[in-house]
Amino acid sequence: MSLTLAQFNNLSQEVAIAQLLICCTSSVWANKIANARPFADFDALLANSDAIWDEVQTNEANLLEAFDGHPQIGNVASLKEKYRNTQDSAAHEQSGANDAADDVLEALAKGNQDYLDKFGFIFIVFATGKSAQQMLDLLLARLPNDRATELANAAAEQNKITRLRLSKLLGNA
């Protein structure tokens, strides 16, 4: 569903919150954004979203609620489906690339489970435009971090995802 900003500003509170929860499943964030309406323009919405997210992310329960809105990338079959048609423009076609891709997907599934086991929440990353190998590299780079660092990293990635979803909701993407 794509809305104009005027339509979004005029939604009932209940419907606005429901639309916002599609962008980010933090109920505190969604309620605060809905209460901050009307917005003069899309940039004002994003600025408010960023400011409210800065407040919301100080509470771990709010973060975990937002993270729970993402599916866990842990199933090799679902990873294969996700990346089946993804092509990195810099990649060179080589024999055995399909086998390498399966290895990457299996490593990504294992890494995601290792991440969940270590931190207690799923690996959150702004995945748009990233290949499976890039995702794996990011996951492996973040896995040695402590939990506080990863909460902050995941919160920053969540905000990028939320901004993209707001853009899509309002037809700006």
Side-chain angles (χ1 to χ4, degrees):
M1 173 182 205
S2 185
L3 301 167
T4 66
L5 183 62
Q7 290 170 325
F8 175 72
N9 282 335
N10 290 316
L11 292 175
S12 70
Q13 188 76 355
E14 181 180 307
V15 173
I17 290 168
Q19 290 299 309
L20 290 164
L21 286 171
I22 294 168
C23 299
C24 176
T25 56
S26 166
S27 57
V28 173
W29 174 85
N31 277 283
K32 287 183 178 232
I33 293 292
N35 287 333
R37 294 175 304 149
F39 298 105
D41 55 35
F42 184 68
D43 289 338
L45 169 59
L46 287 181
N48 273 270
S49 176
D50 290 345
I52 290 169
W53 183 247
D54 285 346
E55 292 173 31
V56 167
Q57 71 175 326
T58 61
N59 180 302
E60 185 175 313
N62 292 337
L63 285 177
L64 296 178
E65 183 183 31
F67 301 165
D68 281 345
H70 298 276
Q72 182 183 359
I73 304 172
N75 177 303
V76 175
S78 67
L79 286 169
K80 283 183 181 182
E81 183 64 30
K82 177 177 175 63
Y83 289 108
R84 173 174 295 161
N85 296 317
T86 301
Q87 293 182 354
D88 184 355
S89 60
H92 300 285
E93 294 294 331
Q94 298 176 0
S95 63
N98 290 338
D99 292 337
D102 284 349
D103 290 347
V104 168
L105 297 179
E106 288 169 13
L108 189 55
K110 181 186 182 316
N112 273 291
Q113 188 59 53
D114 292 346
Y115 187 98
L116 177 62
D117 292 344
K118 180 175 181 178
F119 298 114
F121 55 91
I122 65 167
F123 177 65
I124 304 290
V125 66
F126 183 74
T128 301
K130 291 180 179 65
S131 69
Q133 182 63 58
Q134 290 169 319
M135 298 274 290
L136 176 60
D137 293 345
L138 290 167
L139 189 154
L140 294 175
R142 287 174 46 187
L143 198 53
N145 291 336
D146 62 30
R147 191 168 193 276
T149 299
E150 272 315 291
L151 280 168
N153 285 338
E157 295 297 302
Q158 174 66 51
N159 194 45
K160 293 177 193 175
I161 295 164
T162 300
R163 289 172 63 94
L164 176 65
R165 289 178 180 175
L166 284 170
S167 293
K168 288 180 179 179
L169 175 67
L170 296 177
N172 291 334

